[in-house]
Amino acid sequence: MTNDMNDEQRRSLLLLQQHGFINEQNGNDSLLNQTESEEHTPWFINILFGLSGIFASLLFIGFLTLILFETEIFDSIIGVLVTGGILSAIGWSLFYNAHLRHSPFWNSLAFAITAAGQAYIAFALLTNEIEQPVNVVILLFIQLFMTIVMPNFIYRLLSAMVALGCVIYLLNFYYLPELSLGLLALMTAVANLQRYSILQRISVKWRSVAFDISKALSYASALMLLSISVYFIATEYGGGFDSLDSYGDTFSYNYYLAQGLLTLASLYAVLLILKRYQVKLLSAAGFIIVFAIAILGIMSIYVSGLLTTSLIIVIAVANSQRVLLGLGIAALVGYIFWYYYQLDTSLLVKSASMLSIGIGLLLMRWLLIKRYFAISKESGEALTVANEKERLS
């Protein structure tokens, strides 16, 4: 049984090598050794090793921080930057060490040390001694660099999210917050739906690294898209966008422009999905889908996050990404409940609105079952009868 599994794993690794997603050394040595070692290591042991690594790194970082405070290194920006760079280099070396890479303890230790180094760098850059937005731009490039060089998915995910957060901050700084949702939706669509077509244009030597980076970027852009939608909802019901005004002028947010750009990005994602399934945009199905996207875009002006979560769910279903699908469904339910409880109406009006929505959903379900599922069933039965006749003849 084990030999059959190993043979199947070797064939899969060989196929990945031929497509350039892993290099020859990892395919022949490291990945096989990792698979064989993980078969004999219980999952709870790996969790204990990971937690012990995090605990050890926290003790080390706390001790180092106390020393830095006592030696007054924190009073110097250069000293904090050098300390953060040294910690980041140590974490990078631990991540790249072939003998330590597959150990949960050393992975957790490297992750915490590198995160502490980046926290020191961010602390030094975000002080008042470096004017805005120069410090945010520097932090953006540092996080992009860490996203590329760090061979760890979780760290790449967090670095990409911080980098996207810097981009959103810069858009707000230059009074362009309406571009945030559309830009993040476009990045989510491209990173998830055009990943493999873009990777085919990259050299085989760097394709495996590019695949890991694109995977982290796809989840980071989706998570930031959901987070920004939550931020807009909280700001909308928490007193308007006056809280974003820190530059002395009146801050305004154009809902129509923001939702229009988000709708255009969603239409582009739909176009990619229809192209994958060879469905023409001018067909009946394509027209219905475009009309539904337009309706969701209009509704999102009043119910923030509706189109965003729908886009995440559609992309997750198209790519069979269960984690992303669960996040999208949870966010959609949360947005709807938030909007429902923030309505400044009576309980009778809320109940009537929920009743009308429920009736509408039931009618849509009945229409889909009667029209499209029945047609699909009849087509399948006709095809079965035709095959049976051909077999008998």
Side-chain angles (χ1 to χ4, degrees):
M1 181 69 178
T2 305
N3 294 331
D4 295 337
M5 293 178 61
N6 291 334
D7 293 338
E8 184 178 356
Q9 291 167 358
R10 289 188 178 92
R11 288 194 296 269
S12 301
L13 292 174
L14 181 61
L15 182 62
L16 291 174
Q17 290 177 24
Q18 294 175 354
H19 286 81
F21 289 108
I22 60 175
N23 54 37
E24 184 177 358
Q25 180 180 2
N26 285 338
N28 293 332
D29 299 327
S30 301
L31 291 178
L32 288 177
N33 293 334
Q34 180 188 8
T35 304
E36 293 176 358
S37 63
E38 287 181 351
E39 289 179 357
H40 304 285
T41 304
W43 61 269
F44 53 88
I45 297 297
N46 290 328
I47 292 178
L48 289 177
F49 279 145
L51 293 177
S52 61
I54 294 176
F55 182 70
S57 59
L58 289 177
L59 292 178
F60 168 74
I61 293 167
F63 179 71
L64 179 63
T65 304
L66 290 176
I67 293 178
L68 294 178
F69 269 115
E70 291 295 332
T71 55
E72 297 182 354
I73 294 181
F74 270 95
D75 296 335
S76 173
I77 295 180
I78 297 178
V80 178
L81 287 175
V82 171
T83 304
I86 293 174
L87 290 177
S88 300
I90 292 174
W92 177 83
S93 63
L94 290 176
F95 274 132
Y96 266 99
N97 194 323
H99 299 286
L100 305 177
R101 187 183 302 175
H102 305 309
S103 172
F105 175 82
W106 290 108
N107 271 330
S108 301
L109 185 64
F111 179 84
I113 290 176
T114 311
Q118 294 300 301
Y120 286 154
I121 293 175
F123 175 78
L125 291 175
L126 298 180
T127 54
N128 295 327
E129 298 186 17
I130 302 179
E131 61 181 18
Q132 296 179 349
V134 178
N135 53 358
V136 180
V137 173
I138 297 174
L139 182 61
L140 170 62
F141 283 107
I142 291 176
Q143 294 305 315
L144 289 177
F145 176 76
M146 299 300 290
T147 304
I148 295 173
V149 301
M150 282 297 174
N152 183 269
F153 172 74
I154 301 298
Y155 193 88
R156 278 175 169 159
L157 175 65
L158 295 178
S159 296
M161 291 182 66
V162 174
L164 292 175
C166 293
V167 173
I168 294 170
Y169 178 84
L170 292 174
L171 291 176
N172 289 334
F173 184 88
Y174 290 108
Y175 302 101
L176 297 173
E178 295 87 356
L179 301 180
S180 300
L181 288 176
L183 179 61
L184 290 174
L186 182 61
M187 293 182 61
T188 303
V190 172
N192 285 277
L193 299 176
Q194 290 186 297
R195 180 192 310 174
Y196 296 102
S197 61
I198 295 176
L199 289 175
Q200 293 297 326
R201 304 176 183 178
I202 300 176
S203 175
V204 176
K205 180 180 179 181
W206 304 103
R207 194 171 294 171
S208 60
V209 178
F211 176 79
D212 295 336
I213 296 174
S214 64
K215 182 180 178 182
L217 183 60
S218 63
Y219 280 95
S221 57
L223 290 174
M224 286 301 298
L225 181 60
L226 294 176
S227 302
I228 291 301
S229 299
V230 172
Y231 174 76
F232 285 149
I233 293 173
T235 309
E236 176 184 358
Y237 293 105
F241 284 91
D242 294 335
S243 58
L244 296 175
D245 180 21
S246 57
Y247 314 110
D249 298 329
T250 303
F251 194 93
S252 61
Y253 183 81
N254 193 330
Y255 277 97
Y256 299 99
L257 177 59
Q259 294 301 324
L261 296 175
L262 178 61
T263 304
L264 290 177
S266 302
L267 290 175
Y268 179 72
V270 168
L271 181 62
L272 294 177
I273 296 174
L274 292 178
K275 184 178 179 181
R276 176 186 298 182
Y277 293 100
Q278 298 180 355
V279 178
K280 295 182 179 180
L281 185 63
L282 299 178
S283 62
F287 177 77
I288 293 174
I289 293 173
V290 171
F291 181 74
I293 293 295
I295 293 299
L296 287 175
I298 296 173
M299 294 177 61
S300 295
I301 298 175
Y302 308 98
V303 186
S304 300
L306 187 60
L307 180 58
T308 299
T309 52
S310 301
L311 176 63
I312 296 297
I313 292 173
V314 170
I315 292 176
V317 171
N319 285 358
S320 300
Q321 296 172 297
R322 295 184 178 181
V323 176
L324 199 60
L325 179 61
L327 291 174
I329 294 175
L332 178 60
V333 174
Y335 294 168
I336 292 176
F337 271 101
W338 183 286
Y339 175 77
Y340 175 77
Y341 284 107
Q342 291 294 331
L343 284 176
D344 190 14
T345 57
S346 62
L347 292 177
L348 180 60
V349 176
K350 290 183 178 180
S351 301
S353 61
M354 293 296 291
L355 178 61
S356 60
I357 293 174
I359 293 175
L361 291 176
L362 290 175
L363 290 175
M364 291 176 60
R365 179 180 181 275
W366 173 79
L367 181 62
L368 289 174
I369 292 175
K370 183 178 179 180
R371 294 289 300 275
Y372 294 98
F373 292 163
I375 293 174
S376 300
K377 184 177 179 181
E378 292 176 359
S379 301
E381 292 177 353
L383 182 60
T384 304
V385 172
N387 292 334
E388 186 68 20
K389 289 181 179 180
E390 183 178 358
R391 186 182 65 85
L392 293 176
S393 62

